[in-house]
Amino acid sequence: MNIPNHIAIILDGNGRWAKKKNLPRAMGHKAGCEALEKTVENCARLGVKYLTVYGFSTENWKRSKEEVSALMQLFRFYMKRLLKIASENNVRVKMIGDKSKFDKDIIEGVDKLVETTKNNTGLTFVFAINYGARDEITRAVRDLLNDYKSGKVSDIENVDESFFEKYLDTYPDPDPDLLIRTSGELRISNYLLWQIAYSEIYVTDVLWPDFDMAELENAITAYNKRERRFGGR
């Protein structure tokens, strides 16, 4: 079976999973974190080179204060868990998004996680927090304009796709080959809009906390049945 080089996942359905079980939404997020741990390990075991997951979007701040607070506590706990998992599986961790809005201890935890695992040579696990693709592209344009005004970019005619993508959060990682969305929703939700231009998309009705190796293999099997076409070829 051909294993995708880079898999991106929209983790959706934690709240619905909790509701189905008459549990608080926070328990759904906790179960979702546990599913993520297993997915990181499963992807590393299968030989996936890059895994990028949508952990917390720029829009998630609009949720209730209680839910956001619970999510922040989960971040604090699972950053420590992720460090252990990364060490055991030779995983390098990277973060994309604007982390400046988080509390100081969370920022320090993110920095420690990235720094401690930077020399690991296995799976690169990219965690998108306070991330939105429109925000990412807007920040990239702003940085490019600032470089142009300061003289770092002298010829605007040379700004093509390969030049512009250097300003994106994900550079220099490759674009996803496969995008997985759980819970059956048929939308992109402001996720990696530039990077998934030619990604294969797999949508499953499985809610994220129930996502396991079998469903990951289903997604990869579906990917293998696709005839990948670029630019109409």
Side-chain angles (χ1 to χ4, degrees), residues 10 12-14 16 181-185 203-208:
I10 300 175
D12 195 15
N14 292 342
R16 273 166 282 179
R181 176 155 194 155
T182 57
S183 84
E185 300 293 344
V203 177
T204 174
D205 289 331
V206 170
L207 301 176
W208 175 248

Side-chain angles (χ1 to χ4, degrees), residues 11-31:
L11 322 176
D12 195 15
N14 292 342
R16 273 166 282 179
W17 182 90
K19 185 176 181 181
K20 283 177 64 176
K21 297 178 179 295
N22 294 314
L23 296 171
R25 285 180 66 86
M27 294 302 295
H29 293 307
K30 181 177 183 296

Side-chain angles (χ1 to χ4, degrees), residues 1-55:
M1 184 164 59
N2 179 28
I3 302 298
N5 184 55
H6 185 173
I7 296 177
I9 308 180
I10 300 175
L11 322 176
D12 195 15
N14 292 342
R16 273 166 282 179
W17 182 90
K19 185 176 181 181
K20 283 177 64 176
K21 297 178 179 295
N22 294 314
L23 296 171
R25 285 180 66 86
M27 294 302 295
H29 293 307
K30 181 177 183 296
C33 288
E34 293 167 357
L36 180 56
E37 288 182 24
K38 295 174 185 175
T39 301
V40 171
E41 292 175 336
N42 289 338
C43 283
R45 192 173 300 120
L46 287 172
V48 176
K49 300 299 184 186
Y50 295 85
L51 171 66
T52 303
V53 303
Y54 210 0

Side-chain angles (χ1 to χ4, degrees), residues 30-218:
K30 181 177 183 296
C33 288
E34 293 167 357
L36 180 56
E37 288 182 24
K38 295 174 185 175
T39 301
V40 171
E41 292 175 336
N42 289 338
C43 283
R45 192 173 300 120
L46 287 172
V48 176
K49 300 299 184 186
Y50 295 85
L51 171 66
T52 303
V53 303
Y54 210 0
F56 188 85
S57 76
T58 51
E59 290 80 18
N60 286 158
W61 295 107
K62 299 175 184 176
R63 296 185 179 185
S64 71
K65 184 177 180 180
E66 293 75 18
E67 185 173 359
V68 170
S69 178
L71 284 168
M72 294 303 110
Q73 289 302 106
L74 277 175
F75 281 164
R76 290 179 171 94
F77 175 75
Y78 276 98
M79 275 192 295
K80 297 175 183 176
R81 289 277 301 156
L82 186 53
L83 183 58
K84 179 176 182 293
I85 292 167
S87 299
E88 291 174 349
N89 293 276
N90 192 28
V91 170
R92 179 176 62 145
V93 180
K94 296 175 70 175
M95 300 288 174
I96 60 173
D98 181 7
K99 65 184 178 183
S100 65
K101 195 171 181 179
F102 292 108
D103 289 342
K104 182 181 178 182
D105 67 309
I106 292 180
I107 295 172
E108 290 174 347
V110 168
D111 291 342
K112 179 181 178 181
L113 186 55
V114 172
E115 179 64 24
T116 303
T117 64
K118 68 179 182 181
N119 293 322
N120 289 351
T121 57
L123 169 74
T124 295
F125 173 57
V126 185
F127 198 46
I129 54 173
N130 195 27
Y131 173 87
R134 289 181 175 181
D135 176 70
E136 175 191 28
I137 293 170
T138 300
R139 286 187 284 107
V141 171
R142 189 183 304 125
D143 290 343
L144 175 58
L145 289 173
N146 285 334
D147 283 351
Y148 179 68
K149 286 191 293 185
S150 68
K152 291 181 181 179
V153 176
S154 57
D155 188 356
I156 205 72
E157 296 300 323
N158 289 330
V159 179
D160 56 11
E161 291 181 14
S162 61
F163 188 94
F164 179 75
E165 69 182 5
K166 295 176 183 177
Y167 287 85
L168 297 174
D169 294 351
T170 51
Y171 181 80
D173 297 344
D175 293 338
D177 302 290
L178 172 64
L179 171 67
I180 300 171
R181 176 155 194 155
T182 57
S183 84
E185 300 293 344
L186 301 176
R187 58 178 179 271
I188 300 302
S189 295
N190 195 23
Y191 185 49
L192 300 176
L193 296 179
W194 177 282
Q195 296 86 348
I196 62 169
Y198 288 102
S199 302
E200 300 296 327
I201 299 176
Y202 177 83
V203 177
T204 174
D205 289 331
V206 170
L207 301 176
W208 175 248
D210 292 326
F211 191 88
D212 56 12
M213 176 63 99
E215 192 57 34
L216 177 61
E217 290 178 340
N218 287 342

